[in-house]
Amino acid sequence: MLDAARASGRVVQVGLQRRSTPHIAEAKERFLGEGKLGKIALVEIYCYYHMRATENPPDTAAPEYLDYEMWTGPAPMRPYTTLAHPRRWRAFMEYGNGIVGDMCVHMLDMTRWMMGLGWPSRIASTGGILVDTKSKANITDTQTATFDFGEVKVVWQHRSWGAPVAADHPWGATFYGDKGTLKVDVYGYEFTPLDGGAPVRRGVTYELVEYPEDRTEKDLERHVAPAVRYHMRNFLQAIDTRGRPVSDIEEGYISTASCILANNALKLGRTLAWDPKTRTVVGDSEANELLRRPYRAPWVHPA
């Protein structure tokens, strides 16, 4: 997709909206841009939402309105269950990339953007289904992944059980610098200097006066509405100027592929070294086989 976008000269934006979140952009400029954190060597990113399906419904025939064969597409065929369709497909690795693909990708991408990081050179992961063993869901309920960017290590953790480490930051990132600590999430940020100064806090930006429809729009996550708006404005501006949007397809590719590599590292039980020039795992043919999922016949992979 990246090659196609570059060859055609198209403007392609990925929906990683943390790059367009007003208070996060402010934190990036105010604390990282001005060097108030000092040297940062470790960033912890995390999600403690209880978002993994816990149900165990029976296998049944698919409803008459659903062409289950077509719905499954090239993915492996599973028995139909109400847990899979229509909105719970995230519970299965056959259809997605687990909580790492759902949630880690956003915080990893945000961290990369805030710190100007490119590709990780090494990716490792450990975890599994350690607590909730009764559900049909086969995504991990516990997983840690380490993304090695050289002088900066980014460590992801999710638990879909238990209490969050910090109740007010259940899905976010903590930047550890030798001059201070910065916690960032979709609801705000908190900077704590190490020189004894007072902490600096900022909440999420709401635009309820400018956009009163945010109060009434069905199913809207109000706290991210401004981020979505700024993201779309940036996309339209990039179309006008033929420039690269803040969440250009190459940035989305890096963050997404890094998360997929973390899942593959967990599956294989070893650390993977990535070469972005060849787009391959160094010296690991088994890991490279996992970069492309096999297609179920009669579907044929476009490559």
Side-chain angles (χ1 to χ4, degrees), residues 16-125:
L16 293 166
Q17 296 95 340
R18 302 291 73 77
R19 292 174 179 247
S20 297
T21 305
H23 69 268
I24 296 177
E26 178 184 297
K28 176 180 184 293
E29 179 178 355
R30 186 174 182 182
F31 302 108
L32 281 80
E34 298 180 7
K36 293 180 179 178
L37 280 169
K39 182 176 178 59
I40 302 169
L42 174 67
V43 183
E44 294 176 348
I45 55 179
Y46 38 82
C47 178
Y48 301 111
Y49 290 148
H50 291 193
M51 59 182 292
R52 183 179 181 273
T54 58
E55 304 94 308
N56 189 21
D59 298 337
T60 63
E64 292 184 1
Y65 66 80
L66 177 65
D67 183 343
Y68 190 52
E69 176 78 26
M70 179 61 71
W71 183 89
T72 299
M77 177 59 70
R78 292 182 57 92
Y80 176 82
T81 169
T82 55
L83 187 58
H85 180 77
R87 292 292 301 278
R88 307 303 296 280
W89 54 267
R90 286 182 172 88
F92 300 99
M93 291 300 291
E94 287 88 343
Y95 312 135
N97 290 295
I99 296 175
V100 168
D102 272 351
M103 308 299 278
C104 175
V105 66
H106 289 281
M107 291 304 160
L108 176 64
D109 184 75
M110 181 190 76
T111 301
R112 290 185 48 252
W113 168 65
M114 293 180 74
M115 297 193 64
L117 301 173
W119 281 97
S121 58
R122 294 167 60 84
I123 303 98
S125 186

Side-chain angles (χ1 to χ4, degrees), residues 169-184:
H169 291 280
W171 179 44
T174 302
F175 296 78
Y176 295 97
D178 61 0
K179 294 182 180 179
T181 301
L182 175 66
K183 292 183 178 181
V184 180

Side-chain angles (χ1 to χ4, degrees), residues 3 46 67 120 154 168-169 234 285:
D3 292 343
Y46 38 82
D67 183 343
V154 180
D168 54 345
H169 291 280
N234 175 260
S285 58

